[in-house]
């Protein structure tokens, strides 16, 4: 099957195309309906199909003869542990954990929050939820208690699963006190908290509420997977929107299984038995699609890494893992490769390892800058591909489809639309733009299977955020253009979302925190270029008249506030004082202009600007910022 043929069919007859792809999934009941449209413009895929995602990831693979094949390889340079779980072993662990969850009162449709570091039990917890039809929501460990509390109140979990601690380089981060604090802040309380005690730091358990994971598990009995409807939710993944309230992206079982099996094979070129490494964290969408569900449902071995690209113990860590486990392909964020390059610019660590198993590297999460792309390709001698997707889509929107003949890759671009995605560019009025014209990147409806069709408990917000801006299209929030051969170039977000180390964060949320400081009259938080992390937040602050606070004290206060409310992952540590901010005559801060000034890009002062002289002041304050090369 060629890329061009597949792509054309997926756009002209999506129902026929996806009905065929759905054959790759072992449904309990095959769907007879492939695609239906709801009155509000959203779509339903495989509505009458029935399946179980955990069964597909584990039991099915054993039925196909992969019981003794490594399913998950846990490699933890921070603890020195390396452990292999075959499909049979993983299935046994998951089935018992699912039994425990059920024993603790978790049933189909119930929420379960997982706030854990990169230990295999986190993946087991996800799969155990999937097995009994519970809806998991993994919260990244770098989020503060307040963010966890927001998610607890939104997902209303029956159970919360955590670990006593995580490890960041050589530092132990206690998770349990954060959970305790979050539960003090949250209105909703789960019935129980299941705590995995790690030897690096044991947690205090609260009698009556907290349970020791291992002790509770020892008394549990294995349970079988339950049949679920294709549209039943598999998980909620919270992501930053433009406001302080995170958006609960809902992933359905049916579409997710079909899309991930398609993507692993045709986008990433993986076959059963191959070794795949999704370098991320289970707290992000990549962890769901490319560490747990995608590779396991495809019969691959997934590498589960609890470490960093550098300093665990050195900048050759990734190359060591590739050699040791004969990794065939991987996913990684550009920021990690920039960190490695900084410490090992000549690629000595690469040369010291045998990368002969590795076919290619896929990068995403933020733009792959051409310098990092060229360096990575040169030191590894492998094909390096940029590709683009979002939490909402759950799988790649644009990518070279290495599993399809005739699919080209073009450095500098995020590559062409993957079959299923009709990617277009529109102007502010929603009019289609031609090749090489820059505008808002949108996807013509229907979105393919796997893409979120709603937000947890807030369908109107889904419609408003994604479908109402440009009727007939899904609004990605990214700007860019397509060239005349259909290659897509992502230029960045068009909203107040920034990307720090491949982590998506809301500047609006940070602004709210900065604005609450008693010395601050008003502020704007924008993303500015960072050599390693891609972007980091910078606050431009106007002090109240007569306010005498020193800039250094203000910085300490604001950094503390953001770390406390959002978490260390925001990397908020830059504040500049300005006399005023550029605004429209109606008083709206011109953040898009501020972003352009910070990036050193040309801009046209908007005609609505109240006082053009303010721009020169801002340019002077931001003149020393590092700029993207
Ligand atoms: N649990 C608790 N804290 C965490 C955490 C986690 N899972 N992940 C990050 N943090 C904390 C860090 O300890 C750090 O805290 P500090 O400010 O007190 O030191 C802060 O969040 C920022 O961490 P990070 O962004 O990881 O920066 P770093 O300087 O510690 O490390 C890199 C730099 C490049 C090594 C690191 O950012 C990295 O590995 N990036 C790759 C990210 C990635 O794979 N993204 C893929 C998303 S799909
Ligand atoms: P997340 O939902 O956290 O995965 O973030 C998705 C956002 O990251 C996208 O909307 C883009 O802004 C950005 N992004 C992801 N991949 C790329 C890429 N390859 N190039 C440019 N931006 C990207």
């Amino acid at each position: 099957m060629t890329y061009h043929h597949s792509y054309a069919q997926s756009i002209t007859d999506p129902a026929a195309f996806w009905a065929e792809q759905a054959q790759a999934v072992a449904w309990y009941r095959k769907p007879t309906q492939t695609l239906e449209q709801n009155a509000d413009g959203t779509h339903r895929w495989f509505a009458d199909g029935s399946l179980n995602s955990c069964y597909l990831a584990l039991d099915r693979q054993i039925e196909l003869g992969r019981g003794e094949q490594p399913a998950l390889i846990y490699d933890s340079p921070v603890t020195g542990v390396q452990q292999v779980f075959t499909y049979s072993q993983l299935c046994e662990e998951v089935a018992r954990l699912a039994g425990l969850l059920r024993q603790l009162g978790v049933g189909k449709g119930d929420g379960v929050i997982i706030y854990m570091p990169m230990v295999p039990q986190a993946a087991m917890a996800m799969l155990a939820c999937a097995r009994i039809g519970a809806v998991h929501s993994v919260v990244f460990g770098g989020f503060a208690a307040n963010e966890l509390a927001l998610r607890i109140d939104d997902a209303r979990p029956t159970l919360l699963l955590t670990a006593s601690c995580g490890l960041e380089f050589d530092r132990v981060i206690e998770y349990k006190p954060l959970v305790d604090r979050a539960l003090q802040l949250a209105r909703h309380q789960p019935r129980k908290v299941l705590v995995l005690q790690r030897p690096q730091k044991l947690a205090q358990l609260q009698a009556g509420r907290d349970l020791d994971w291992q002790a509770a598990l020892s008394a549990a009995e294995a349970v079988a997977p339950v049949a679920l409807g294709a549209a039943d939710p598999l998980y909620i993944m919270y992501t930053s929107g433009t406001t302080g309230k995170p958006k609960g992206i809902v992933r359905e079982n049916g579409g997710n299984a079909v899309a991930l099996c398609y993507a692993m094979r045709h986008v990433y070129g993986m076959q059963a038995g191959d070794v795949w490494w999704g370098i991320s964290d289970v707290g992000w969408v990549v962890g769901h699609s490319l560490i747990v569900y995608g590779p396991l449902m495809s019969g691959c071995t997934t590498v589960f890494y609890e470490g960093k690209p550098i300093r665990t113990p050195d900048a050759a860590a990734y190359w060591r893992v590739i050699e040791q486990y004969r990794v065939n392909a991987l996913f990684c964020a550009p920021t990690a490769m920039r960190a490695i390059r900084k410490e090992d610019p000549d690629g000595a660590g690469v040369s010291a390892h045998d990368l002969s198993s590795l076919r290619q590297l896929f990068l995403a999460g933020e733009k792959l800058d051409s310098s990092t792309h060229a360096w990575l390709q040169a030191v590894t001698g492998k094909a390096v591909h940029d590709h683009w997707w979002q939490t909402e889509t759950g799988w790649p929107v644009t990518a070279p489809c290495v599993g399809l003949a005739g699919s080209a890759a073009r450095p500098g671009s995020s590559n062409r639309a993957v079959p299923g995605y009709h990617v277009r560019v529109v102007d502010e009025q929603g009019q289609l733009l031609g090749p090489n014209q820059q505008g808002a990147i949108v996807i013509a409806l229907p979105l393919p299977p796997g893409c979120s069709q709603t937000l947890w408990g807030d369908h109107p917000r889904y419609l408003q955020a994604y479908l109402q801006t440009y009727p007939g299209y899904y609004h990605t929030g990214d700007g860019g253009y397509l060239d005349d051969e259909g290659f897509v170039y992502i230029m960045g977000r068009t909203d107040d979302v920034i990307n720090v180390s491949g982590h998506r964060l809301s500047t609006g949320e940070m602004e709210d925190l900065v604005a609450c400081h008693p010395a601050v009259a008003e502020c704007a938080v924008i993303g500015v270029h960072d050599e390693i992390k891609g972007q980091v937040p910078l606050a431009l602050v106007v002090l109240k008249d007569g306010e005498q606070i020193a800039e250094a004290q203000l910085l300490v206060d604001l950094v503390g506030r953001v770390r406390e409310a959002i978490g260390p992952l925001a990397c908020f540590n830059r504040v500049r004082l300005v006399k005023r901010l550029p605004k429209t005559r109606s008083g709206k801060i011109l953040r898009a202009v501020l972003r352009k000034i910070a990036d050193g890009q040309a801009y046209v002062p908007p005609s609505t600007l109240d006082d053009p002289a303010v721009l020169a002041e801002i340019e002077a304050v931001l003149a020393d910022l590092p700029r993207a090369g």
Side-chain angles (χ1 to χ4, degrees):
M1 185 67 82
T2 66
Y3 163 75
H4 290 284
H5 179 84
S6 295
Y7 187 75
Q9 198 206 357
S10 77
I11 301 305
T12 53
D13 193 351
F17 179 80
W18 287 109
E20 198 182 322
Q21 307 315 323
Q23 307 283 342
V25 167
W27 301 84
Y28 291 145
R29 189 178 60 235
K30 280 189 192 292
T32 58
Q33 298 151 300
T34 304
L35 174 64
E36 291 150 289
Q37 183 167 0
N38 299 316
D40 60 15
T42 56
H43 290 82
R44 288 192 303 278
W45 286 101
F46 316 116
D48 61 344
S50 142
L51 75 169
N52 182 285
S53 296
C54 177
Y55 163 77
L56 296 175
L58 300 175
D59 311 66
R60 176 67 183 157
Q61 304 306 323
I62 298 168
E63 287 167 12
L64 291 171
R66 299 192 184 109
E68 298 315 304
Q69 181 192 312
L72 186 148
I73 299 176
Y74 171 51
D75 185 292
S76 171
V78 287
T79 60
V81 176
Q82 296 178 349
Q83 202 176 359
V84 177
F85 295 86
T86 64
Y87 271 99
S88 295
Q89 289 166 334
L90 190 59
C91 190
E92 215 177 291
E93 296 277 353
V94 167
R96 265 195 319 125
L97 182 56
L100 172 60
L101 299 189
R102 192 175 277 166
Q103 199 182 304
L104 294 173
V106 180
K108 182 179 168 221
D110 289 342
V112 173
I113 291 236
I114 301 172
Y115 183 69
M116 294 180 75
M118 281 293 285
V119 285
Q121 286 81 0
M124 291 169 191
M126 293 162 70
L127 291 159
C129 288
R131 197 167 187 86
I132 57 171
V135 184
H136 61 72
S137 182
V138 186
V139 179
F140 180 63
F143 278 119
N146 176 57
E147 290 286 334
L148 178 57
L150 284 174
R151 287 154 176 78
I152 290 171
D153 279 337
D154 199 72
R156 306 183 60 74
T158 304
L159 199 67
L160 193 152
L161 275 62
T162 190
S164 55
C165 66
L167 290 118
E168 283 290 296
F169 297 113
D170 48 5
R171 218 155 30 103
V172 174
I173 311 271
E174 289 189 60
Y175 274 45
K176 185 58 183 5
L178 291 167
V179 169
D180 292 339
R181 174 86 187 114
L183 289 174
Q184 280 166 1
L185 294 170
R187 288 185 308 280
H188 175 84
Q189 298 295 306
R191 278 189 215 155
K192 295 278 175 214
V193 176
L194 196 58
V195 184
L196 181 77
Q197 295 282 22
R198 303 189 79 191
Q200 292 75 16
K201 180 79 203 175
L202 297 182
Q204 293 269 344
L205 301 189
Q206 186 177 306
R209 187 197 69 187
D210 301 345
L211 295 171
D212 179 275
W213 185 301
Q214 291 304 348
L217 192 61
S218 61
E221 303 228 339
V223 294
V226 300
L228 298 169
D232 283 338
L234 170 64
Y235 68 80
I236 311 166
M237 175 88 251
Y238 286 94
T239 189
S240 297
T242 50
T243 68
K245 190 172 184 287
K247 292 193 263 196
I249 303 297
V250 177
R251 189 87 54 225
E252 297 173 358
N253 278 280
N256 183 61
V258 174
L260 291 184
C261 289
Y262 183 81
M264 288 306 294
R265 176 136 185 227
H266 298 292
V267 177
Y268 297 111
M270 302 305 286
Q271 304 283 344
D274 281 347
V275 181
W276 168 264
W277 187 14
I279 314 180
S280 181
D281 186 288
V282 284
W284 305 115
V285 68
V286 176
H288 290 58
S289 299
L290 296 188
I291 298 181
V292 179
Y293 292 109
L296 295 178
M297 284 178 177
S298 307
C300 299
T301 297
T302 187
V303 178
F304 195 95
Y305 179 71
E306 186 184 23
K308 299 276 174 175
I310 50 170
R311 293 171 48 207
T312 57
D314 54 30
Y318 280 10
W319 318 124
R320 189 267 302 164
V321 170
I322 295 167
E323 174 178 350
Q324 188 168 340
Y325 305 115
R326 309 291 302 150
V327 171
N328 299 119
L330 61 79
F331 170 101
C332 175
T335 184
M337 289 303 173
R338 287 195 295 268
I340 295 174
R341 180 190 183 186
K342 186 154 186 263
E343 299 212 350
D344 181 15
D346 301 327
V350 185
S351 320
H353 291 279
D354 172 9
L355 305 191
S356 57
S357 61
L358 190 67
R359 300 194 286 261
Q360 56 245 327
L361 302 91
F362 289 88
L363 280 87
E366 52 172 315
K367 189 171 174 57
L368 174 58
D369 59 282
S370 53
S371 161
T372 306
H373 192 158
W375 174 81
L376 191 53
Q377 199 144 311
V379 295
T380 61
K382 308 288 176 183
V384 174
H385 301 306
D386 189 6
H387 68 318
W388 166 68
W389 48 301
Q390 311 180 303
T391 305
E392 290 84 343
T393 66
W395 65 288
V397 181
T398 70
C401 295
V402 304
L404 291 172
S407 168
R410 181 164 291 176
S413 147
S414 299
N415 293 296
R416 286 189 175 119
V418 169
Y421 290 102
H422 195 187
V423 177
R424 315 300 300 266
V425 181
V426 296
D427 66 14
E428 279 175 14
Q429 285 68 47
Q431 298 301 313
L432 283 174
L433 294 172
N436 302 309
Q437 289 184 287
Q438 199 169 316
I441 304 211
V442 295
I443 302 167
L445 300 178
L447 288 170
C451 295
S452 176
Q453 298 283 345
T454 193
L455 294 179
W456 186 252
D458 200 351
H459 192 60
R461 188 175 179 204
Y462 176 90
L463 298 176
Q464 184 256 321
Y466 301 111
L467 301 193
Q468 283 166 2
T469 316
Y470 303 112
Y473 299 105
Y474 163 84
H475 174 43
T476 66
D478 282 309
Y481 65 94
L482 269 67
D483 69 13
D484 34 23
E485 290 174 74
F487 285 88
V488 176
Y489 295 78
I490 305 293
M491 306 308 288
R493 297 288 305 191
T494 54
D495 54 16
D496 296 331
V497 166
I498 59 169
N499 213 304
V500 181
S501 299
H503 307 150
R504 183 166 149 187
L505 297 163
S506 159
T507 52
E509 190 177 3
M510 294 181 220
E511 261 175 34
D512 289 347
L513 293 166
V514 173
C516 287
H517 189 286
V520 173
E522 60 180 350
C523 67
V525 177
I526 53 171
V528 296
H529 173 72
D530 181 85
E531 192 195 348
I532 301 295
K533 295 179 184 191
Q535 277 188 309
V536 287
L538 169 102
L540 294 165
V541 172
V542 180
L543 292 180
K544 287 181 179 158
D545 283 349
E547 181 53 63
Q548 297 299 328
I549 190 168
E551 199 169 5
Q553 182 57 49
L554 183 69
L555 179 69
V556 170
D557 291 357
L558 295 179
V559 168
R561 274 169 187 247
V562 175
R563 284 180 77 91
E564 172 70 20
I566 298 177
L569 86 166
C571 299
F572 179 94
N573 51 25
R574 288 169 177 75
V575 174
R576 296 276 168 100
L577 291 181
V578 292
K579 287 203 214 79
R580 53 201 177 136
L581 290 165
K583 291 190 191 164
T584 61
R585 279 182 216 106
S586 59
K588 196 170 176 300
I589 296 173
L590 289 159
R591 291 182 179 74
V593 173
L594 287 173
R595 286 197 290 264
K596 287 218 156 94
I597 295 176
D599 284 346
Q601 286 178 16
Y603 62 92
V604 181
S607 55
T608 51
L609 184 66
D610 61 348
D611 177 5
V614 67
L615 296 179
E617 290 168 25
I618 299 285
E619 278 181 26
V621 172
L622 301 185
D624 63 334
L625 289 180
R627 303 277 150 83

